[in-house]
Amino acid sequence: QETINQYLDRFHAGFRITGTKSTYIGGAPSSVYQIVINDVPVDLGNADSPVSEPTFRNTLSAGDRSTLALAFFLARLQREARLEQMTVILDDPFTSLDSFRRSQTVSELIRMGLNSGQIVILSHDSRFLYDIWRKAAPADRKAIWLPRVGEDNTAIREWDIEKWVQDRYRQHID
């Protein structure tokens, strides 16, 4: 909970989690917690919770939910004893984030890359990937592209991300 809240603070989330408890409902390990927004605790709720009752579903925006999920993920990785031996793969880790949270996500991923064996970031957003590219040390980065080849195949190719972003910029100006 403390580590997750540290990440939420870094993302300027405006909320935190509290009251974290472990449960074993149905024999499977799980966690229960509350979200605190403006010093008001909000329960997670479930599919049967009335729409009129404040719950996780109706109080957090899509960006807030993405931020919370990323904070959970990063906090879990931070506690991983073998992180420096692991390859971490992320697929579009910034969905629905505002510009500050997007920038902070770049910084956190760079930090995670320095602490892990390898980090692979997949995205359809070339500007986001370029932001990471610019902040990563040249010796620590590699850009690849996965273009379709025919109907059923994909190739793996080196990608000149700087040329790509520059060409896209020129296309937008034109």
Side-chain angles (χ1 to χ4, degrees):
Q1 177 177 303
E2 181 180 328
T3 305
I4 292 166
N5 285 334
Q6 287 171 356
Y7 280 108
L8 291 173
D9 286 343
R10 288 182 197 162
F11 287 118
H12 292 233
F15 62 90
R16 64 185 193 284
I17 64 169
T18 190
T20 306
K21 298 176 204 157
S22 298
T23 66
Y24 296 92
I25 297 172
S30 182
S31 296
V32 176
Y33 57 92
Q34 288 181 312
I35 299 165
V36 178
I37 305 170
N38 296 327
D39 295 324
V40 176
V42 176
D43 289 325
L44 291 177
N46 58 39
D48 298 328
S49 298
V51 177
S52 60
E53 179 182 311
T55 64
F56 175 86
R57 261 191 332 195
N58 61 18
T59 57
L60 294 181
S61 68
D64 287 338
R65 289 191 297 271
S66 292
T67 299
L68 181 59
L70 186 57
F72 268 88
F73 180 74
L74 294 172
R76 183 183 176 282
L77 281 179
Q78 185 176 317
R79 298 186 64 148
E80 181 62 51
R82 301 176 304 116
L83 183 58
E84 68 280 348
Q85 300 167 3
M86 295 175 67
T87 296
V88 179
I89 300 174
L90 297 119
D91 186 6
D92 279 330
F94 64 90
T95 306
S96 301
L97 300 182
D98 61 30
S99 62
F100 174 80
R101 288 184 187 170
R102 186 177 165 120
S103 175
Q104 189 63 27
T105 299
V106 168
S107 297
E108 293 300 332
L109 296 181
I110 294 293
R111 182 186 345 246
M112 186 60 55
L114 295 173
N115 295 321
S116 63
Q118 180 180 23
I119 186 167
V120 177
I121 303 167
L122 306 169
S123 180
H124 293 96
D125 188 324
S126 57
R127 292 301 308 181
F128 177 73
L129 294 172
Y130 184 66
D131 289 344
I132 293 171
W133 177 264
R134 284 189 346 221
K135 288 193 175 190
D140 294 339
R141 65 186 189 199
K142 183 79 166 176
I144 61 170
W145 179 37
L146 303 172
R148 287 189 65 120
V149 178
E151 290 292 317
D152 300 323
N153 296 304
T154 301
I156 299 174
R157 298 196 176 128
E158 198 158 339
W159 182 35
D160 186 345
I161 190 169
E162 290 178 349
K163 183 178 183 320
W164 175 270
V165 171
Q166 186 179 44
D167 288 348
R168 289 287 209 194
Y169 177 73
R170 285 185 181 148
Q171 287 173 14
H172 286 268
I173 288 175
D174 291 345

